[in-house]
Amino acid sequence: MLEGHKIVTVGELLVEFISHTKGCALERIGEFSGPYPSGAPAIFLDQASRMGAETEMFGGVGDDGFGRLLLERLRADGVGTEGVSVLPDRSTGTAFVSYYDDGSRDFIFHLANTAADSLSFTAEMLPPGPLALHVSAASLGSAPLRRAILSAADAVKGSGGKITCDPNARPQLMQDDEARGALERILGQADCLMPSTSDLDHLYPGLDEAAAIDRLVHSGADILAIKRGAKGATIIGDGAKYDLPGHDVDEVDPTGAGDCFCGTFVALLAQGVGLEEAGRQANAAGAIAVTRRGPMEGNSGPSQISAFLSSTPAVSDGREA
């Protein structure tokens, strides 16, 4: 379905600072590390590029150290950055995150009126050829990004391209009806949907998992990948279903793991890899990602994933395949 497509994203570029103190709720003085290159669309595309896909990023950074850090990382990993605007009158977006013992997180984002949501984008800027536009739904919380993403989605679908979507519904970034309406519009256009189990709760409150998945199966998407974190993933498409067990790893930082999964999965599909194998490698990429502090520091390539799969056995969670 995605074979031969160049992968593009439109969305936020930012740097992230991580508290080393769990449970501080970002309201106590403590040690932080960073700046780490971040932004869900950027993490996704960096991983896709590492996996061998042809990529192009559309976003904005400031003419500052944070912006240079982001561009250097993306370029070093092969991401196309001609679509990234460097804005001298805007600072680069930032985020701060702290963790709790149960794995939940507090975020504070500084994106409004920064370069992150001030990009100049028109659909005419999209590259030629068959395109797969990936939408990280967290980006839809920003009105400027939302307009750019919806414009890109209409253009890509209108030219026969494909839409992939990670619902990635973060409450901190999705607080108005327009954002929810935009997400529903993208869900209706998507050819490949990759929600986490927590996304299912947000999308379909009151439905159990089986009913929510059934709703997505009938949404029009050809491929569905359910991310289950440490419990693995379920891949549905081409009349088949694959339940993939998780991997037992020492979790350091879960931020970005879902983006790594999606970047690996879409990149491999774009290179003609089958659903089950693409899911297996994406599952491994997500597990690798949580072992490093920093949302993009755990990104990996084919050789790392191959070595991981050879040395780290999958752990069944008891579900039947």
Side-chain angles (χ1 to χ4, degrees):
M1 182 196 81
L2 297 175
E3 187 171 0
H5 287 65
K6 182 174 184 175
I7 304 169
V8 299
T9 64
V10 180
E12 73 277 7
L13 288 156
L14 55 92
V15 297
E16 187 170 300
F17 294 85
I18 301 172
S19 172
H20 291 198
T21 303
K22 288 187 176 181
C24 72
L26 294 174
E27 59 189 33
R28 298 204 306 269
I29 295 172
E31 293 186 359
F32 285 75
S33 59
Y36 291 110
S38 189
I43 301 167
F44 163 89
L45 208 62
D46 183 270
Q47 178 65 19
S49 182
R50 284 184 176 222
M51 293 303 297
E54 188 179 3
T55 61
E56 184 74 31
M57 177 84 203
F58 292 88
V61 297
D63 187 12
D64 52 30
F66 293 167
R68 289 187 288 275
L69 170 70
L70 278 159
L71 286 174
E72 287 171 5
R73 171 62 63 85
L74 294 176
R75 289 168 178 165
D77 290 339
V79 176
T81 58
E82 290 185 8
V84 177
S85 303
V86 179
L87 306 174
D89 60 340
R90 292 284 189 274
S91 61
T92 302
T94 58
F96 298 82
V97 61
S98 68
Y99 295 93
Y100 295 89
D101 288 333
D102 65 0
S104 61
R105 297 167 284 182
D106 274 329
F107 283 97
I108 295 176
F109 290 95
H110 294 283
L111 301 180
N113 300 314
T114 71
D117 72 353
S118 303
L119 76 165
S120 298
F121 174 83
T122 63
E124 289 73 24
M125 296 169 63
L126 291 168
L131 300 178
L133 172 71
H134 178 72
V135 178
S136 174
S139 304
L140 297 171
S142 157
L145 291 177
R146 183 162 62 240
R147 290 191 293 269
I149 291 167
L150 293 176
S151 173
D154 289 344
V156 167
K157 290 296 284 188
S159 64
K162 305 295 184 181
I163 305 292
T164 69
C165 176
D166 179 357
N168 196 15
R170 290 182 180 168
Q172 300 92 338
L173 296 177
M174 302 279 294
Q175 296 181 355
D176 59 63
D177 291 340
E178 289 189 12
R180 177 69 189 216
L183 174 56
E184 291 176 354
R185 180 170 158 185
I186 292 295
L187 292 176
Q189 292 177 304
D191 302 278
C192 174
L193 289 172
M194 297 168 286
S196 66
T197 50
S198 61
D199 290 330
L200 296 179
D201 293 335
H202 179 83
L203 292 171
Y204 304 113
L207 293 185
D208 62 21
E209 182 178 298
I213 291 175
D214 184 68
R215 186 79 64 89
L216 286 174
V217 166
H218 292 92
S219 68
D222 296 313
I223 296 171
L224 182 62
I226 307 297
K227 295 171 294 185
R228 303 181 181 279
K231 295 183 179 180
T234 297
I235 311 297
I236 301 170
D238 295 336
K241 176 183 176 184
Y242 307 100
D243 282 316
L244 306 172
H247 296 277
D248 186 12
V249 296
D250 293 327
E251 181 178 298
V252 175
D253 182 357
T255 301
D259 302 309
C260 281
F261 179 104
C262 294
T264 303
F265 189 64
V266 174
L268 292 175
L269 294 182
Q271 295 172 83
V273 176
L275 283 179
E276 184 177 19
E277 180 60 21
R280 190 174 77 96
Q281 293 193 42
N283 205 28
I288 293 169
V290 307
T291 64
R292 298 281 186 90
R293 177 177 283 122
M296 205 182 287
E297 305 312 297
N299 285 15
S300 54
S303 61
Q304 292 164 289
I305 290 174
S306 177
F308 177 86
L309 286 169
S310 297
S311 62
T312 309
V315 179
S316 174
D317 66 354
R319 288 181 297 109
E320 294 183 0

